[in-house]
Amino acid sequence: MTEQGPPQSTAPRELPRAADVVVVGAGLAGLACARQLARRGIDVVVLEAADAPGGRVRSDTVGGFVCDRGFQLLNPAYPEVRRVLDVGALRLQPFPAAVVVAGAQGRQVLADPRRSPGLLPLTARSLLREASGSWREQAAFARWALHAAREKPEGILSESDLPWGEALTRRGVDGALRQRVIEPFLAGVLGEDEGVSSHQFVQFLVRSFVRGTPSVPWRGMRAVPEQLAASLPGIHYGVRVESAEPGRVRSDAGEIQARAVVVATDPKGASALLGLPPVQTRGLTTYWHASPEPPTRSGALHVDGDRRGPVINTVVISNRAPSYSPDERALIATTVLGGSPDLATERAVTAQLALIYEQPTHWFELVRRDAIPDALTAMPAPLEIRKPVSLGEGMFVAGDHRDTASTQGALVSGRRTADAVLAELGLPAVPREPISAR
Ligand SMILES: Cc1cc2nc3c(=O)[nH]c(=O)nc-3n(C[C@H](O)[C@H](O)[C@H](O)COP(=O)(O)OP(=O)(O)OC[C@H]3O[C@@H](n4cnc5c(N)ncnc54)[C@H](O)[C@@H]3O)c2cc1C
């Protein structure tokens, strides 16, 4: 049974006949764009096909458990997150800066010693084991990660880009550490385990992991778009846009004339509405299981170093985010690659979880399965960020596919598009908010 979260800001389905700007889509990009325009006093109308804001960032309450639509984390180190969100109001529940690597030879813990000093002895012991790679590979990895963490974004972008698998091989990160830890870890963030995504993008991810502690809001990831939507009066939910052209938008609820039209849909929707080239996406499936007891006390992300099944990563989310469970039961989020799993995958997941947690899983109860075929926008090398957002004749496009496949990328694209719209309307850009220290 799926219950909805708190009521959304509902707007009458009857649409105005005209607006200064129509934004199609109330995902993070559309919301960020509309918010900037509203701050400038623009009459902006947002049309959203779904019944609530968020797009790929939503949550539902299922039998009392908070299940995000696919396991995901908010990194409060993202500069745009700290500019546009009141991060304090989200009551973030942080995850440890550590990964548990399960395998037939037992479990290893690899932690960032600065942020999880208590795990230092376990990390040191894990590094001494052969399964963590040779000293040569560990040193090469440390050099690579430090470079990514310290380099400025412009520096990363000035390097020539390669598929990340090739880039790591060239740097000598090519043994057990890579196969057992780095590949499964990155697979969950990139939606692929073939090493084909942009090395520049991977370095941006590493940079943000080192600088911030990925977390989930107390009320679930839905709290992020809901906070943005709360400041926007003109969102119309349940309205599907059928065509967008200079000066007007046609939807199943009527037509709106507009001086500017922003298409802030998912990448496939944008290609369909605007005739843009197709964008490759990657699927992810998350299984949410409840268990009377947590299979581990750890709140760290677990990966299977021996790749004994389809699981890419798994975490007892309620260990670090108690608000995700209504009672003493544990909630476990497990992710596999691909957005259309079959029953065999589901069985294989449960069997592999028993190996990873070294606990029987027959009392795990499946709360929900989120199969999302277009979860992540592919980021192939060479990376193309800051793609044009102005298409001419008052038509604009926003979305993570114009910047990077992340919360940060979606929010930045919304801001860039708002600036472009304001320029076209002959208005100055809204000054950037300072990056909040919280
Ligand atoms: C499972 C999963 C895990 C993720 N993990 C992370 C993570 O850990 N960290 C991270 O930074 N990012 C993560 N992401 C990526 C991040 O969520 C996205 O990059 C971001 O939310 C994209 O926002 P967007 O506004 O560009 O697009 P979307 O969220 O896709 O928003 C598009 C909106 O347009 C609406 N729409 C589409 N067509 C129409 C139409 N014709 N008419 C009206 N409305 C329409 C849709 O309903 C939707 O609301 C994850 C995503 C998923 C799914």
Side-chain angles (χ1 to χ4, degrees), residues 25 27-29 48-49 55-57 71-73 241 265-266 399-400 406-407:
L28 296 184
E48 168 55 54
R56 278 170 276 164
V57 184
F71 170 65
Q72 52 185 300
L73 296 167
V241 168
T265 64
D266 51 280
D400 64 351
S406 64
T407 310

Side-chain angles (χ1 to χ4, degrees), residues 160-396:
S160 66
D161 200 12
L162 285 174
W164 71 265
E166 204 178 322
L168 286 195
T169 302
R170 285 193 187 189
R171 283 162 180 77
V173 187
D174 54 2
L177 179 64
R178 169 164 164 184
Q179 281 149 23
R180 296 178 53 80
V181 187
I182 301 168
E183 284 178 3
F185 179 77
L186 285 179
V189 215
L190 300 169
E192 58 99 356
D193 59 358
E194 293 142 25
V196 295
S197 302
S198 150
H199 180 230
Q200 287 178 348
F201 181 57
V202 168
Q203 289 184 90
F204 285 133
L205 292 174
V206 171
R207 198 171 180 276
S208 63
F209 286 136
V210 172
R211 280 154 196 262
T213 306
S215 311
V216 289
W218 186 261
R219 292 191 47 254
M221 289 296 290
R222 62 185 157 201
V224 173
E226 284 177 11
Q227 191 185 95
L228 291 170
S231 61
L232 289 168
I235 309 184
H236 296 259
Y237 296 107
V239 177
R240 176 160 291 279
V241 168
E242 287 153 356
S243 72
E245 56 196 75
R248 71 175 172 186
V249 162
R250 286 207 187 106
S251 78
D252 56 7
E255 183 176 311
I256 306 185
Q257 313 278 329
R259 293 166 71 195
V261 174
V262 176
V263 172
T265 64
D266 51 280
K268 285 194 176 161
S271 300
L273 283 173
L274 296 168
L276 295 173
V279 174
Q280 200 190 351
T281 57
R282 305 201 183 280
L284 291 174
T285 298
T286 299
Y287 295 87
W288 299 91
H289 287 101
S291 165
E293 293 285 331
T296 171
R297 296 279 159 203
S298 167
L301 200 70
H302 286 52
V303 297
D304 187 342
D306 291 341
R307 307 292 286 271
R308 292 165 289 183
V311 171
I312 286 303
N313 62 52
T314 177
V315 62
V316 183
I317 197 164
S318 52
N319 280 353
R320 278 305 178 112
S323 63
Y324 273 50
S325 172
D327 46 39
E328 296 304 306
R329 283 173 297 164
L331 183 66
I332 299 128
T334 302
T335 299
V336 305
L337 291 183
S340 50
D342 50 20
L343 196 59
T345 308
E346 196 162 315
R347 289 202 190 106
V349 164
T350 321
Q352 194 183 358
L353 287 178
L355 299 174
I356 293 176
Y357 289 118
E358 298 175 358
Q359 295 282 335
T361 47
H362 51 257
W363 54 64
F364 277 24
E365 185 195 330
L366 186 65
V367 177
R368 194 171 74 168
R369 191 191 68 174
D370 290 309
I372 308 171
D374 301 309
L376 298 173
T377 300
M379 293 274 110
L383 186 64
E384 268 189 89
I385 58 165
R386 298 182 202 131
K387 288 189 194 151
V389 292
S390 177
L391 305 175
E393 297 183 79
M395 297 297 292
F396 298 85

